[in-house]
Amino acid sequence: MIEYKRNQLSTLLSRLGEKPRFLIALIGPRQTGKTTLVKQALREFESPSRYISADTSDPIVISPSPVLEQNTISLSAKTEIVNNEMKNEEWLIRQWDEARISARNSQTGFVLVIDEIKEITNWSKIVKGLWDQDRYNDLPLHVVLLSSSPLLFQQGLTESLAGRFEIIRFTHWSFLEMVNAFDFSLEEYIFFGGYPGSASFIQDHDRWNSYISNALIEPNIERDILAFQRVDKPALLKQLFMLGAEYSGQILSYNKMLGQLQDAGNTTTLARYLDLLTTIGLMTGLQNYSNKPFRRKSSSPKLNVLNTALMTVVSGYSFNDARADRTYWGRLVESAVGAHLFNTGMSNCRLYYWRNENYEVDFVLSRGPKTIAFEVKSGQYRKQKMHGLGLFSKKFNVSRSIVIGEEGDIPLSEFLSIPAFEWAS
C-alpha cells in the first residue's frame, strides 16, 4: 500500500534544502503524523542525518505501526537511529557534538532530528547556546525539533529561542486527507473525525471508542497539561473538556458552564483552562465577533471541538444512531465546519461567531481587512433562530457571505476540501 504524504513534507524538504538559518520546529496536536513525516523527509533528503528521541520511557524501534501499516518508514542507511541511553542534558550535548563532527565531515551538511525534546530539563536554554555557537561558526547543521506535547514545546520555544526557529505547523487531518489515505466517506469523516491512527478501527465501534479515549484524550490532558502546567483543579479541567465535547457547536456563558460543572471554580479559571485545551488541539471557545476587541473578550464562548471524534466519543451514539438523530447530526456537521475553519486557517486568520439577540452567524473568518461569514445548513436540520447573514452584512464590512450545504452556495464535501485561508486570500 502506498504511504500517504502530508503537504508539510514538501515544506520540510524545502527548508532542509536551504542553508541552515533557523531551527525547524514541528508543532501540532498528538497523533497528527509529525514523527512519521520527519522520518519520510530523512529518507528522501540527500544529506546524511541522525534521528534521536529524548523519550525516556522506551527505546526507538522502527517497525510497522500497529494501526497504520501504510505509514511504515524504513529509513535508509544514511540515517542513524540512536536509543537505549540515559536521556539528560549531557546526553543532548553529546549527541549535538557528534552531529557537529558529522556535519564538518560531510560535503552536503548534516541533519539532526530531536524528537520529544521537551523531556530534557532546560532543553531550550541548552539548544539556544548550541545553536548560537553553530551559527557563529557557520556550521552546515540543520536541527529539527518536535514533541508530542505542544503546550510545553511552544513555551520552550518562545521563552528562550525567540527569533531562532521557524515553525512547520501540523493540524488534525482534513477531510481530503482522510479520503485519500483511508477512503473515508463524508459521513465517516463527520462522525469519526481526522485521527489517522483510529482509521482501521471504525468498523469496531468499541475498539475505536477505546482508542480515542485512552490513546488520545487521556494522554492529551494528563501528559500535555497536568504534568507540566499548574492546574489547581484538574477535575474541573477534565469536566470542562467533557462539557465542551457534549455542547460543541453551542454558545455557553461561563456562568452557565459553572452551573453545569461539579467542581467549584470561577470564570477566569474556566477561560484559562479553555485556552489550554485549545493549545493542545482538543477544543476551543470562539469569541463573538465585534469591531471592538474588549467586547470579543467579554463575550460568551461558542464551544467547538477541533476534531469531531472528540465529540462523538463522549456522546454514546453509534455511527447509525448519530445519522438517525438529525438535530445531533446537524450539530456534528456544524462542529466539523468549525474545526475545519480553525485548523486550516493560517496563523493570521481569526475565527469567530456572531450573535445579536435572535440573529446569529455560525462562523466569521477574519484575515486583515477581509471578513467572511459562514452559515451551515445540514439536510433537515434547521436551527430555531432568525437568519443573521443579512443583518451581519449590513452591520459590518463583509467581503463575502457563504451558505454551506446542499441547499446553499457550496456542498459540504466541497467546502471541507478548501482550506480556510483560501476564502480570505
Side-chain angles (χ1 to χ4, degrees):
M1 193 176 289
I2 300 175
E3 67 180 19
Y4 187 79
K5 299 178 181 179
R6 301 196 74 184
N7 292 334
Q8 290 89 341
L9 177 61
S10 60
T11 303
L12 177 56
L13 289 172
S14 175
R15 299 289 186 272
L16 294 177
E18 300 172 352
K19 180 179 179 180
R21 292 182 294 167
F22 301 101
L23 294 158
I24 302 172
L26 275 55
I27 292 181
R30 287 179 179 268
Q31 299 289 320
T32 52
K34 298 184 293 295
T35 300
T36 295
L37 185 137
V38 79
K39 291 175 184 176
Q40 290 174 326
L42 295 185
R43 190 184 63 189
E44 295 188 18
F45 194 59
E46 295 180 355
S47 297
S49 57
R50 169 175 288 194
Y51 174 97
I52 61 176
S53 174
D55 191 347
T56 57
S57 58
D58 295 294
I60 302 171
V61 180
I62 304 302
S63 61
S65 167
V67 295
L68 194 58
E69 292 186 11
Q70 59 264 50
N71 278 356
T72 300
I73 304 301
S74 299
L75 297 180
S76 59
K78 64 184 175 61
T79 302
E80 307 168 48
I81 307 297
V82 182
N83 50 52
N84 286 326
E85 296 185 61
M86 181 67 70
K87 315 297 175 62
N88 53 26
E89 298 175 33
E90 290 76 16
W91 171 84
L92 177 59
I93 294 172
R94 183 171 67 255
Q95 298 297 335
W96 198 298
D97 283 339
E98 292 177 4
R100 285 169 165 171
I101 295 173
S102 298
R104 296 187 186 100
N105 294 333
S106 172
Q107 295 181 350
T108 58
F110 196 80
V111 180
L112 174 63
V113 177
I114 311 174
D115 204 345
E116 299 296 356
I117 183 66
K118 50 83 179 171
E119 297 289 340
I120 303 296
T121 303
N122 296 321
W123 70 267
S124 58
K125 293 182 179 179
I126 297 170
V127 169
K128 175 183 177 182
L130 295 169
W131 179 256
D132 286 352
Q133 186 177 5
D134 289 351
R135 299 285 59 75
Y136 179 80
N137 293 323
D138 198 26
L139 191 68
L141 175 62
H142 278 288
V143 179
V144 181
L145 306 175
L146 61 156
S147 171
S148 60
S149 299
L151 184 61
L152 191 67
F153 187 35
Q154 291 184 62
Q155 287 179 342
L157 289 173
T158 55
E159 288 173 0
S160 300
L161 295 169
R164 295 172 174 84
F165 65 91
E166 192 168 17
I167 290 176
I168 299 178
R169 196 170 300 279
F170 284 66
T171 63
H172 295 287
W173 284 42
S174 69
F175 170 58
L176 274 186
E177 289 177 311
M178 296 302 287
V179 170
N180 293 332
F182 306 105
D183 198 28
F184 264 35
S185 68
L186 175 61
E187 290 187 325
E188 285 173 337
Y189 178 75
I190 296 299
F191 185 87
F192 294 107
Y195 281 120
S198 68
S200 62
F201 298 150
I202 65 172
Q203 301 304 323
D204 186 342
H205 184 77
D206 290 340
R207 190 177 182 188
W208 176 84
N209 194 299
S210 177
Y211 179 86
I212 298 296
S213 299
N214 300 324
L216 294 173
I217 296 176
E218 190 71 16
N220 266 280
I221 294 177
E222 292 289 344
R223 299 180 193 173
D224 297 346
I225 297 181
L226 299 182
F228 300 109
Q229 287 286 313
R230 178 178 176 178
V231 175
D232 295 328
K233 297 180 177 294
L236 182 64
L237 173 67
K238 294 178 180 180
Q239 289 178 38
L240 176 61
F241 165 75
M242 297 296 290
L243 183 72
E246 182 180 355
Y247 284 87
S248 182
Q250 300 185 54
I251 301 167
L252 280 183
S253 70
Y254 287 112
N255 286 327
K256 286 184 178 179
M257 289 188 212
L258 288 174
Q260 295 279 339
L261 301 172
Q262 297 177 2
D263 198 343
N266 56 56
T267 58
T268 302
T269 300
L270 285 184
R272 175 175 175 262
Y273 288 177
L274 191 55
D275 286 342
L276 292 176
L277 292 169
T278 301
T279 302
I280 65 171
L282 289 183
M283 59 176 290
T284 192
L286 304 178
Q287 298 175 347
N288 193 6
Y289 183 83
S290 173
N291 287 332
K292 300 179 180 179
F294 75 91
R295 288 188 176 178
R296 299 176 189 170
K297 293 182 179 180
S298 62
S299 64
S300 298
K302 178 177 182 177
L303 303 175
N304 208 111
V305 293
L306 299 181
N307 191 315
T308 50
L310 303 171
M311 180 178 175
T312 53
V313 76
V314 304
S315 69
Y317 278 100
S318 68
F319 179 49
N320 291 332
D321 289 340
R323 287 187 300 172
D325 186 336
R326 302 313 301 173
T327 299
Y328 178 78
W329 190 260
R331 286 205 299 112
L332 193 56
V333 168
E334 184 172 329
S335 295
V337 170
H340 175 75
L341 287 169
F342 188 94
N343 291 331
T344 62
M346 297 181 69
S347 58
N348 56 351
C349 289
R350 297 291 181 268
L351 187 63
Y352 308 92
Y353 74 95
W354 180 74
R355 173 181 280 182
N356 185 355
E357 296 179 349
N358 291 326
Y359 293 90
E360 184 179 333
V361 174
D362 290 328
F363 300 104
V364 178
L365 186 69
S366 176
R367 183 184 183 190
K370 293 189 176 181
T371 302
I372 301 92
F374 299 91
E375 183 73 15
V376 183
K377 297 296 183 185
S378 177
Q380 300 175 9
Y381 176 58
R382 292 292 183 270
K383 283 167 284 192
Q384 300 300 315
K385 64 179 184 181
M386 300 181 71
H387 200 284
L389 282 178
L391 180 61
F392 182 81
S393 299
K394 293 179 181 179
K395 190 175 180 66
F396 300 99
N397 183 23
V398 177
S399 304
R400 189 175 179 185
S401 297
I402 300 168
V403 178
I404 304 164
E406 297 301 326
E407 301 176 7
D409 302 314
I410 181 172
L412 179 62
S413 59
E414 183 179 346
F415 174 82
L416 293 176
S417 303
I418 301 174
F421 66 84
E422 291 192 10
W423 294 106
S425 61

